[in-house]
Amino acid sequence: MSGLVVDADLCVGCGRCVRVCANDGIEVVDRLARVLPGCVSCGMCVDACPVGALEMVREGTGADLSQWSGVLVVAQTDADGAPLPVASELVGVGRGLADARGCALRVLVLAPGTHGCACTGGFSGLGADGADEVLVSRSPRFGARDCAAMAATVAAAVGATKPEAVLFGATDLGRELAPRVAQRLGCGLTADCTGLAVDSETGLLLQTRPAFGGNLMATIVSPEARPQMATVRPGVFAAPERDASRVCTVYEMPPAPCDVAAPEVLAEEPADDGTSIAACDVLVVVGRGIRDKKSLAVARRLADALGAGLGCTRPVVEAGWLDHGCQVGQTGVSVAPRLLVSLGVSGAVQHLAGISGAGCVVAVNEDPEAPILAAADYAVVGDCREVARAWAEALENR
Ligand SMILES: Cc1cc2nc3c(=O)[nH]c(=O)nc-3n(C[C@H](O)[C@H](O)[C@H](O)COP(=O)(O)OP(=O)(O)OC[C@H]3O[C@@H](n4cnc5c(N)ncnc54)[C@H](O)[C@@H]3O)c2cc1C
């Protein structure tokens, strides 16, 4: 059994364990420490004990990890059934993990439609990206973005293929789907990873993500449970170079029965055009330095002249100047454009976490000490509205 263990022969009942415990997890009765239900196994008392009478025992689950092998990527599609770009990004990183372990990379595509309704064509791109096998599962419920139905099928695919790692895109849907799968399988989940590596000997997935408001990077491991599951935000990893000569087998997989009723649609709202700033090749990002909503016009003008999308920092969203879908950063979208133009952005860590994939960053800030200027490839000190206006004019007059 895992947990805190007291060695009665060593304990002197000094009570230091009780004093450091923040959770009412231990008491001393008759000069002997006794563990209480409040113990959260934090280990503070173990460090504080002067005589080494406390030990945190962490026993394995007894699960046979050797039967788990391979990497599974769960690919979401758009309304037409085409895999989202993040699927290619996951296949790229999944290929690296599978190669390090010498195992197979499979992709499970959750597509709209009906099982057996169509040929399995259209997914060869995932093979060119690096997949060894593609399992295509089709259901009208997947088309309706029904996460309960999807979770049942992902769990069935995991049961059939026993992968040691499963990767999901951290899209809105992926963020709902992955925890449902983790709950069904009784395993852990690391959300919003920005780095993934594997110990080639043990298969331990090293899942790195920002923690404590982005002030440190935590590497999380799941040594006792399989599969190891992670979500990765779109744009964090680059899509791999496609190799059309790669051999990939595509199978149809029936959707698993789902014991949760399909949700009843009461009303439908018009969908947005589905364009995410994560997909932009060129992006203009505005920060609070743009000063007011009216001045967004000059940023839009520059974006139009560059053929770019428009993103922003969190304060711009909080001010109601742009929608949350435009927010770049830790609690927004991760972007990886070829060119990113940053206007009046300070460069807080939470924002920089979302632009690490950008190819070239041009930043304009009136404060020469602003962190964004140190992070940029080209730094311009000045009023971002004037620089944007002059740049747009120059492009328009070409
Ligand atoms: C848990 C958590 C998650 C967060 N997630 C995100 C996130 O996803 N995305 C995000 O962006 N932020 C996020 N934040 C907020 C983040 O910490 C910063 O507060 C935010 O990024 C600052 O936005 P800003 O640079 O627009 O504003 P400010 O920090 O106010 O900076 C404005 C900058 O504009 C410059 N400036 C002012 N006027 C001009 C001008 N006329 N011309 C040129 N420069 C000018 C100033 O010198 C300054 O550097 C998060 C914070 C927390 C705690």
Side-chain angles (χ1 to χ4, degrees):
M1 216 179 79
S2 298
L4 183 62
V5 175
V6 181
D7 186 331
D9 293 333
L10 294 177
C11 180
V12 292
C14 67
R16 283 199 201 179
C17 50
V18 179
R19 288 196 289 280
V20 297
C21 180
N23 301 292
D24 293 330
I26 195 163
E27 64 179 356
V28 172
V29 179
D30 296 335
R31 298 195 66 74
L32 180 63
R34 201 168 67 172
V35 184
L36 296 172
C39 175
V40 296
S41 302
C42 67
M44 293 290 283
C45 55
V46 177
D47 294 338
C49 179
V51 293
L54 299 174
E55 188 187 358
M56 193 60 69
V57 178
R58 300 191 195 275
E59 286 180 5
T61 56
D64 178 8
L65 305 187
S66 64
Q67 59 178 304
W68 298 83
S69 168
V71 177
L72 179 70
V73 166
V74 178
Q76 188 191 332
T77 68
D78 62 19
D80 298 325
L84 297 186
V86 67
S88 292
E89 296 160 18
L90 293 178
V91 170
V93 71
R95 184 70 265 162
L97 300 174
D99 286 345
R101 290 285 286 155
C103 61
L105 171 64
R106 295 186 179 86
V107 181
L108 171 64
V109 183
L110 300 168
T114 312
H115 177 57
C117 71
C119 69
T120 51
F123 300 107
S124 55
L126 294 171
D129 285 334
D132 298 310
E133 281 180 12
V134 176
L135 311 173
V136 183
S137 191
R138 299 176 195 274
S139 162
R141 289 183 69 169
F142 300 164
R145 299 167 63 88
D146 180 340
C147 274
M150 290 180 175
T153 295
V154 177
V158 169
T161 59
K162 293 248 178 293
E164 60 184 1
V166 183
L167 309 179
F168 299 81
T171 56
D172 288 349
L173 187 125
R175 286 174 187 204
E176 185 184 346
L177 172 61
R180 283 177 182 265
V181 175
Q183 187 274 333
R184 271 183 173 263
L185 298 174
C187 62
L189 173 68
T190 306
D192 285 351
C193 292
T194 54
L196 287 172
V198 69
D199 180 324
S200 57
E201 291 294 312
T202 62
L204 205 56
L205 190 63
L206 309 174
Q207 305 160 95
T208 301
R209 54 151 297 151
F212 293 103
N215 289 311
L216 61 83
M217 299 301 282
T219 297
I220 296 164
V221 293
S222 179
E224 291 166 9
R226 293 290 183 273
Q228 306 161 91
M229 303 213 310
T231 67
V232 176
R233 290 218 212 163
V236 166
F237 294 106
E241 291 278 318
R242 287 203 155 165
D243 176 359
S245 68
R246 282 189 55 86
V247 177
C248 169
T249 318
V250 181
Y251 299 99
E252 287 274 344
M253 177 185 155
C258 176
D259 49 10
V260 180
E264 188 187 348
V265 179
L266 300 177
E268 285 195 29
E269 298 221 342
D272 59 23
D273 64 1
T275 316
S276 163
I277 54 169
C280 290
D281 196 36
V282 183
L283 192 64
V284 172
V285 177
V286 291
R288 192 150 40 191
I290 201 76
R291 299 282 174 88
D292 50 39
K293 191 170 182 179
K294 204 171 62 176
S295 302
L296 280 178
V298 71
R300 276 213 177 85
R301 186 174 160 195
L302 176 60
D304 288 346
L306 287 167
L310 187 65
C312 66
T313 62
R314 188 158 100 169
V316 172
V317 174
E318 287 168 346
W321 299 346
L322 286 172
D323 292 338
H324 182 256
C326 299
Q327 183 180 315
V328 176
Q330 187 188 323
T331 44
V333 180
S334 293
V335 295
R338 207 164 33 87
L339 171 66
L340 185 146
V341 179
S342 182
L343 301 174
V345 172
S346 59
V349 282
Q350 296 87 357
H351 180 75
L352 295 180
I355 66 167
S356 58
C360 176
V361 176
V362 179
V364 188
N365 196 301
E366 62 181 12
D367 174 7
E369 303 297 322
I372 189 77
L373 297 184
D377 298 283
Y378 296 93
V380 181
V381 177
D383 187 322
C384 63
R385 296 163 300 179
E386 287 172 15
V387 173
R389 193 171 297 115
W391 194 352
E393 266 169 23
L395 288 168
E396 288 160 1
N397 293 333
R398 267 192 318 180

